[in-house]
Amino acid sequence: MIKLKYTIIAYLSGIAMLCYNCTEPVDFSQSEDLELFPVVETSLVFFEAPAPEFITQNNEDFSVSDFIEISFFNDEFVEESLIKADFVFDIENSINRAFRLDITFVDEEGTALEVFIVEVPASPNNQNRITNFVQTYEDEALERVKQSTSLEFDLMLLGGETIEEDAPGRIDVKSSAIFSLMIDTN
């Protein structure tokens, strides 16, 4: 008897919910005006080096260079949809020397299209000094960046005390790119 009572109450509750449920007609034409704003994040370059790696044959090596080829901008969808690009650098330095990181966008002919610089201060007490840097490209500058086919990184050791072979400290560079897109369904 009790089971039947609960079944009847559940059944009547379900009918009541259906009778009093409010719905509006769905206007599918709204999808014609739809704009989507996805964000894509990707890693760029990671670099780690203890202080003694900046010494080669008892001479301080004043720079480290690398590059990556980028084909992301060559895609027609990206060319039309990309509205903003943020390049993010997180650098930890515990070496008693300052560094400078130059980042250059280069086209097929080897021409520099855009350059930005990240200054990394020295760490006199060999404690981690963290430098966070974001370079944002939009509008005309973004259009220049879209023409690039490679990204060059030059990490330069700036003047200061000589680094000994047993010097403490290290530098860690982590970078990523955040691309903001706009997809218009019209």
Side-chain angles (χ1 to χ4, degrees), residues 45-88:
V45 163
F46 291 91
F47 174 79
E48 298 176 349
E53 283 192 21
F54 289 94
I55 301 172
T56 56
Q57 299 176 353
N58 294 329
N59 293 319
E60 290 183 358
D61 192 10
F62 291 95
S63 69
V64 176
S65 298
D66 200 0
F67 75 96
I68 57 171
E69 291 184 14
I70 49 176
S71 59
F72 181 76
F73 298 125
N74 297 338
D75 185 85
E76 183 179 338
F77 170 76
V78 172
E79 174 68 30
E80 293 173 4
S81 303
L82 185 63
I83 57 173
K84 183 171 107 173
D86 295 309
F87 294 89
V88 179

Side-chain angles (χ1 to χ4, degrees), residues 31-40 77-78 80-83 180-186:
S31 67
E32 295 172 6
D33 300 328
L34 182 66
E35 289 182 336
L36 303 173
F37 294 92
V39 175
V40 178
F77 170 76
V78 172
E80 293 173 4
S81 303
L82 185 63
I83 57 173
S180 299
L181 306 162
M182 182 185 74
I183 303 170
D184 190 353
T185 60
N186 287 334

Side-chain angles (χ1 to χ4, degrees), residues 16 30 49 63 92 109 111 150 159 178 184:
Q30 291 176 356
S63 69
E92 295 181 23
E109 289 80 36
T111 305
S150 66
I178 302 170
D184 190 353

